[in-house]
Amino acid sequence: EAQVTQNPRYLITVTGKKLTVTCSQNMNHEYMSWYRQDPGLGLRQIYYSMNVEVTDKGDVPEGYKVSRKEKRNFPLILESPSPNQTSLYFCASSLWGSYGYTFGSGTRLTVV
Amino acid sequence: EDQVTQSPEALRLQEGESSSLNCSYTVSGLRGLFWYRQDPGKGPEFLFTLYSAGEEKEKERLKATLTKKESFLHITAPKPEDSATYLCAGTIQGAQKLVFGQGTRLTINP
């Protein structure tokens, strides 16, 4: 089954404790992206990747890092999480950046 | 600034009561207009892509249409299982992202 898999689904952490949210896709898509979803603000792009070793900032990249060492994986790293990063995070993949996305099931992150 | 605006924010209908959701966009060089369905706590699920004015797509009780300024998602004789948030998104030439609207939260009462 074609899918984007994120882990974990839920995460509660403390301020400053580094964490990684994993994302993997099995569709051989070139393009992958991370979004966060907040009430009243909708879905906003954090980072995206056009291919292996090619990443770029989206609209809200502050406090986040990404890497793309393999085509199928695109982890999101929060090196020093803060409470304002409490949000619902989605990974998405696509054939290319302007095409329709396939989204993962989401990771609900709470930073206390 | 490229923007996608959806209306209404929320819509409550009775089962079988048809209606339409609106998505207006102010983006230069629109390459595609997408509709997604999102259930609470889940990832958006792809419904339709529209590329040019006049284009229409249908799936079960849903039909999406596109003009030069806006898109409509028409829902005909809805059922309670159609309750969800419907998201509209646009993509522009040269940009590597979808720009999403805020969504319309649709509730169908039995």
Side-chain angles (χ1 to χ4, degrees), chain B residues 4-16:
Chain B
V4 175
T5 304
Q6 293 186 246
S7 62
E9 280 188 29
L11 181 62
R12 191 178 291 271
L13 300 171
Q14 290 298 121
E15 184 172 1

Side-chain angles (χ1 to χ4, degrees), chain A residues 2-20:
Chain A
Q3 61 185 0
V4 176
T5 303
Q6 291 178 233
N7 282 297
R9 288 295 312 277
Y10 302 93
L11 180 59
I12 301 175
T13 190
V14 296
T15 299
K17 185 176 181 182
K18 181 178 178 179
L19 67 91
T20 299

Side-chain angles (χ1 to χ4, degrees), chain B residues 3-78:
Chain B
Q3 205 164 13
V4 175
T5 304
Q6 293 186 246
S7 62
E9 280 188 29
L11 181 62
R12 191 178 291 271
L13 300 171
Q14 290 298 121
E15 184 172 1
E17 182 184 359
S18 302
S19 189
S20 298
L21 313 182
N22 177 262
C23 170
S24 64
Y25 57 90
T26 53
V27 298
S28 52
L30 182 79
R31 290 200 62 184
L33 192 292
F34 302 84
W35 283 97
Y36 285 84
R37 169 191 170 126
Q38 187 176 23
D39 293 298
K42 296 190 176 181
E45 176 187 340
F46 173 77
L47 292 173
F48 303 109
T49 308
L50 302 166
Y51 288 108
S52 56
E55 190 174 357
E56 297 184 354
K57 295 269 180 76
E58 281 190 70
K59 180 180 178 179
E60 295 180 357
R61 295 176 292 282
L62 298 176
K63 183 168 83 171
T65 61
L66 181 66
T67 72
K68 288 187 177 179
K69 294 288 186 187
E70 57 193 348
S71 178
F72 292 94
L73 184 66
H74 307 277
I75 181 159
T76 303

Side-chain angles (χ1 to χ4, degrees), chain A residues 11-61:
Chain A
L11 180 59
I12 301 175
T13 190
V14 296
T15 299
K17 185 176 181 182
K18 181 178 178 179
L19 67 91
T20 299
V21 183
T22 64
C23 173
S24 179
Q25 51 94 3
N26 63 0
M27 296 164 280
N28 201 37
H29 283 166
E30 303 279 328
Y31 177 93
M32 298 185 74
S33 183
W34 277 101
Y35 279 78
R36 61 178 288 175
Q37 187 173 38
D38 302 288
L41 296 176
L43 282 157
R44 295 177 293 167
Q45 190 184 51
I46 302 171
Y47 267 95
Y48 66 92
S49 170
M50 298 294 291
N51 212 328
V52 175
E53 302 293 359
V54 180
T55 63
D56 208 347
K57 297 176 180 179
D59 295 321
V60 288

